[in-house]
Amino acid sequence: MNKIVLITGAAQGIGKQTAIDFAKAGWIPSLIDFDQQELAKTLTEVHQIEPKSISVHCDVKNPNEIIKAVLETHDKLGGLNCVINNAGISKWKSPYELSVDEWDEIIQTNLRSVFLFSREAAKYMSKSGGGSIINMASTRAFMSEPHSEAYAATKGGIVALTHALAASFAEEHITVNSISPGWIHTGDYSRLRKIDHEQHLAKRVGKPSDISRACLFLAEPDNNFITGENIMIDGGMTRKMIYEH
Ligand code: NAI
């Protein structure tokens, strides 16, 4: 049986690595993004591993485009077993200066899209015996630096939305979990400094593959005793007590 996974924000970063690693593990990925150019490049790479994979251009802020992206994935690939709600944006700006439009853009991109993709996907998953939904939150749902209000609110919202959806979709055998990454370096890893690595309990900065491996674990039907949960993947940063001596 084919295993179909829909991944949002798949053109680059964590989403791209996740698409590659799912393809290597025998899944057929549907890559969702609004960056046409990067999406095309990533699809070419994923095709080398799984030629049946597809890409769908979609702005996750747009509810109609979400409905169409899920329908197109299901119809072209013949099913839907897993959704990874990964697309996200951030903006660091003083709460005194953040405009209502900026607040709304971040909420619509990071949070509303998670609800809409999950709901649309669940309509198909419920008819085929279940599936798994994995939402990308952040350690910033739990800890803060200044000027991160909108981003933090979306990530905290994702953690709460995750357990609410896990309860609502339980009868349909759909698990819903979130992952809270810490610092995951999506650029050139060799440019990181010693201090960047050393400050983590794990003694290194995270990589996209640290997240994709957890996604693969949660997507595995045998692991369906885990639902409504949030998994921190941050090299121990949120467990590290920081007193200045
Ligand atoms: P990234 O910026 O490298 O990639 C995000 C992708 O989402 C891009 O391909 C972008 O085109 C796409 N995207 C953004 N807005 C979109 C929209 N409206 N419609 C469709 N696609 C859209 O981000 P990265 O670092 O790979 O992060 C992925 C997820 O992980 C995000 O939700 C982020 O908040 C979360 N995260 C990342 C951390 C990190 O250290 N990299 C830490 C904690 C959470």
Side-chain angles (χ1 to χ4, degrees):
M1 198 189 81
N2 285 336
K3 294 190 289 184
I4 317 296
V5 58
L6 179 156
I7 305 167
T8 71
Q12 62 176 47
I14 294 170
K16 175 180 176 178
Q17 187 65 47
T18 303
I20 289 169
D21 289 347
F22 269 69
K24 283 181 181 163
W27 288 75
I28 306 175
S30 169
L31 316 183
I32 312 288
D33 212 289
F34 70 170
D35 181 340
Q36 298 258 36
Q37 231 176 341
E38 289 304 312
L39 188 60
K41 281 194 232 160
T42 300
L43 183 66
T44 306
E45 264 186 68
V46 179
H47 266 163
Q48 311 291 320
I49 310 161
E50 175 45 81
K52 289 200 280 292
S53 51
I54 61 167
S55 68
V56 183
H57 178 261
C58 167
D59 182 343
V60 304
K61 293 192 295 302
N62 184 320
N64 289 328
E65 289 188 24
I66 291 175
I67 293 170
K68 273 199 244 162
V70 176
L71 176 73
E72 193 174 327
T73 298
H74 180 269
D75 287 1
K76 281 193 175 161
L77 298 180
L80 186 55
N81 308 96
C82 178
V83 168
I84 302 178
N85 285 305
N86 165 77
I89 54 168
S90 56
K91 185 163 279 195
W92 312 132
K93 209 166 174 182
S94 158
Y96 296 113
E97 284 159 20
L98 191 78
S99 71
V100 170
D101 282 349
E102 287 169 327
W103 170 270
D104 286 347
E105 186 189 9
I106 297 169
I107 300 287
Q108 286 172 18
T109 306
N110 294 11
L111 182 58
R112 190 177 71 181
S113 71
V114 174
F115 173 65
L116 294 174
F117 264 107
S118 300
R119 179 170 73 182
E120 291 312 306
K123 290 177 186 169
Y124 296 103
M125 289 175 176
S126 60
K127 289 185 194 134
S128 60
S132 58
I133 297 172
I134 302 163
N135 302 323
M136 218 50 78
S138 167
T139 49
R140 289 174 189 273
F142 307 98
M143 302 178 85
S144 290
E145 289 175 309
H147 304 159
S148 60
E149 281 71 19
Y151 184 78
T154 61
K155 296 306 186 178
I158 287 174
V159 173
L161 174 61
T162 295
H163 58 71
L165 288 174
S168 297
F169 296 156
E171 294 302 321
E172 284 128 345
H173 303 287
I174 299 166
T175 61
V176 190
N177 292 290
S178 60
I179 291 175
S180 286
W183 181 355
I184 303 298
H185 200 68
T186 56
D188 183 354
Y189 202 74
S190 68
R191 293 181 72 95
L192 291 169
R193 301 162 305 165
K194 194 165 182 272
I195 191 178
D196 298 332
H197 295 296
E198 287 295 315
Q199 65 186 292
H200 291 79
L201 296 184
K203 299 297 170 202
R204 69 171 178 86
V205 172
K207 299 175 182 181
S209 55
D210 290 313
I211 305 304
S212 61
R213 280 196 301 278
C215 290
L216 275 166
F217 180 81
L218 290 172
E220 190 53 52
D222 281 351
N223 295 327
N224 67 3
F225 200 53
I226 306 169
T227 192
E229 186 53 89
N230 175 67
I231 302 178
M232 297 274 206
I233 303 179
D234 67 348
M237 284 299 277
T238 51
R239 289 295 187 201
K240 183 176 162 184
M241 199 171 273
I242 304 171
Y243 287 118
E244 289 179 13
H245 294 287

